[in-house]
Each structure stands twice: as structure tokens, then as C-alpha cells.
Amino acid sequence: MSYDVICFDCDSTLSKIEGIDELAKWAGVGEEMARLTDAAMNGELPLEAVYGKRLETIQPSQTGIAKLADLYIQEMVDGVKEVFTTLLAQDKEVHIISGGLRQAILPLAKALNVPEHNVHAVDVSFNSDGSYLSFDVISPLARSGGKGEICKQLLNGKQSLAIIGDGKTDMEAKQPGVTVIGFGGICDRPIVRQLADNYTKEASLMAVLAYIL
């Protein structure tokens, strides 16, 4: 089946890293945060139970976000550039939907020729000295079910949408008109394998083209 709109998660889907875990590692609270991230992605904890707590603990600075943006690009998953080139050449509407930090994801999106307005992620704000101030607390992507809300908006008037990702938050987007595709090439999660309409464990993102074109 061919889809009108194709959406991708970022962390462990477009890039091999979990951005929040990298920020936590640099802040010296890596193990604790990795456990929280994993619990949320496996559906053991609602996202809103961990989102603000993680950022409050880590206090990511503007400098840290810039470093993370570079790492997202360096650690790009195999086949990502080819997948985006293929989809954009066919005039597909491509979006990135992530519970990650928007300022860190935008440079990766730019490298993949995805326009800024097609990047849906959580904005962070900083103090004048570049230290962490807050995050967009009303963003749907900072809570469970948020990706489903974004997909519903994007589907408006369109026939079909596919979303590709590695976590429970991606699977929550399932609704009429939306197909969820699990990508287990970086993180193979049983809950995603169970809930996804289609699933691949291939290390290259190229494997998802068979399900979306």
C-alpha cells in the first residue's frame, strides 16, 4: 500500500541514539535516566510521568543541545538518507514526529531535506546565559497518546498515513487511516513487535520501504 503521509520517529529510528539518554550521560545521571526512558518506551510508565522529571534532572543547556544535534547526524541509522531521498523524489509528504527536543532534531531534519514545519517535537527554552529554563509543557508530544493526536491532525483530509518508530508511543498513534510500522533495527521491543501492523528487525531503515511504497 502507498501512503499519502509518512512519519518517522527520531531516536532509535532515524538515529541510533536516544537523545535524552545522551544528555543524561553528559550530566552524570545516565543510568537513572536510561531506566526511565526504557520504562516509557516499553509502555511501563506513561510518558508524562517521566518527561518533565528527566529534563528537570538533566538541565540541558544550549551547548548540550547543539552537541546532541551533531551526534544525531553522526549516528544516523543505515539507509535513512536513501529512504528520505526515495520518498521525497516521489513527492511524498514526510514528517518527523518525536518526543525529543526540537532544537536538537532540526539540523538532522535539514540534512534530510525535511522542512522545519514538518518537524513535530518538544521545544525547550533557555535563560539568557544558555542554561536550561523550561520545556513546552502543553506539547502533546510530552505525554502519552501525543503522537496519535499529531497523526490525526496530519491525516485531516488525507486517505492514509504511516508512522515508523521503535517505541510504545509510536504504536499509540494507531487509529483509522493510520498504519504503525515497528522498526526494531536498533531497539527490538516485544511490545512494539506485538502492536505494530508491520515490523522489521533489519538494521537498515531501507527495510521499511517495502511497507510504505
Side-chain angles (χ1 to χ4, degrees):
M1 179 173 175
S2 185
Y3 295 90
D4 297 325
V5 185
I6 300 161
C7 306
F8 292 87
D9 177 36
C10 177
D11 301 53
S12 298
T13 300
L14 299 181
S15 186
K16 295 172 187 172
I17 61 168
E18 285 289 334
I20 198 78
D21 292 349
E22 296 298 324
L23 290 168
K25 209 163 37 180
W26 301 334
V29 290
E31 282 183 29
E32 180 193 344
M33 292 302 111
R35 278 197 298 274
L36 282 177
T37 300
D38 222 37
M41 289 302 102
N42 287 321
E44 295 156 19
L45 274 175
L47 187 61
E48 56 272 24
V50 302
Y51 205 96
K53 184 182 176 187
R54 291 188 306 193
L55 288 173
E56 205 52 50
T57 305
I58 294 164
Q59 296 277 315
S61 66
Q62 253 175 328
T63 311
I65 296 292
K67 183 178 172 185
L68 178 59
D70 289 342
L71 194 59
Y72 270 137
I73 293 170
Q74 284 167 31
E75 295 291 334
M76 212 182 293
V77 168
D78 295 343
V80 167
K81 280 192 170 169
E82 292 85 349
V83 167
F84 277 69
T85 300
T86 301
L87 295 176
L88 294 171
Q90 295 189 18
D91 290 325
K92 295 291 183 185
E93 186 183 319
V94 181
H95 294 257
I96 295 172
I97 306 179
S98 171
L101 306 179
R102 192 165 188 269
Q103 288 93 326
I105 294 169
L106 285 174
L108 172 64
K110 189 177 180 183
L112 296 171
N113 294 313
V114 175
E116 269 195 34
H117 59 263
N118 285 15
V119 178
H120 314 268
V122 181
D123 271 304
V124 278
S125 51
F126 303 97
N127 294 303
S128 55
D129 64 354
S131 61
Y132 175 72
L133 176 61
S134 186
F135 71 98
D136 178 9
V137 292
I138 62 167
S139 170
L141 293 167
R143 62 177 184 265
S144 295
K147 290 191 178 184
E149 292 177 39
I150 303 289
C151 287
K152 191 174 184 180
Q153 291 166 19
L154 296 178
L155 197 54
N156 187 21
K158 307 273 178 31
Q159 289 297 308
S160 59
L161 179 150
I163 180 167
I164 297 105
D166 71 294
K168 172 80 170 3
T169 54
D170 303 292
M171 302 303 105
E172 290 168 353
K174 194 185 283 195
Q175 58 195 285
V178 174
T179 299
V180 294
I181 298 165
F183 177 66
I186 305 301
C187 282
D188 181 19
R189 304 181 193 278
I191 187 80
V192 175
R193 193 187 281 255
Q194 178 193 329
L195 296 174
D197 294 309
N198 295 296
Y199 188 83
T200 178
K201 248 184 80 174
E202 294 291 323
S204 169
L205 195 69
M206 289 287 281
V208 304
L209 285 179
Y211 302 117
I212 55 180
L213 290 180

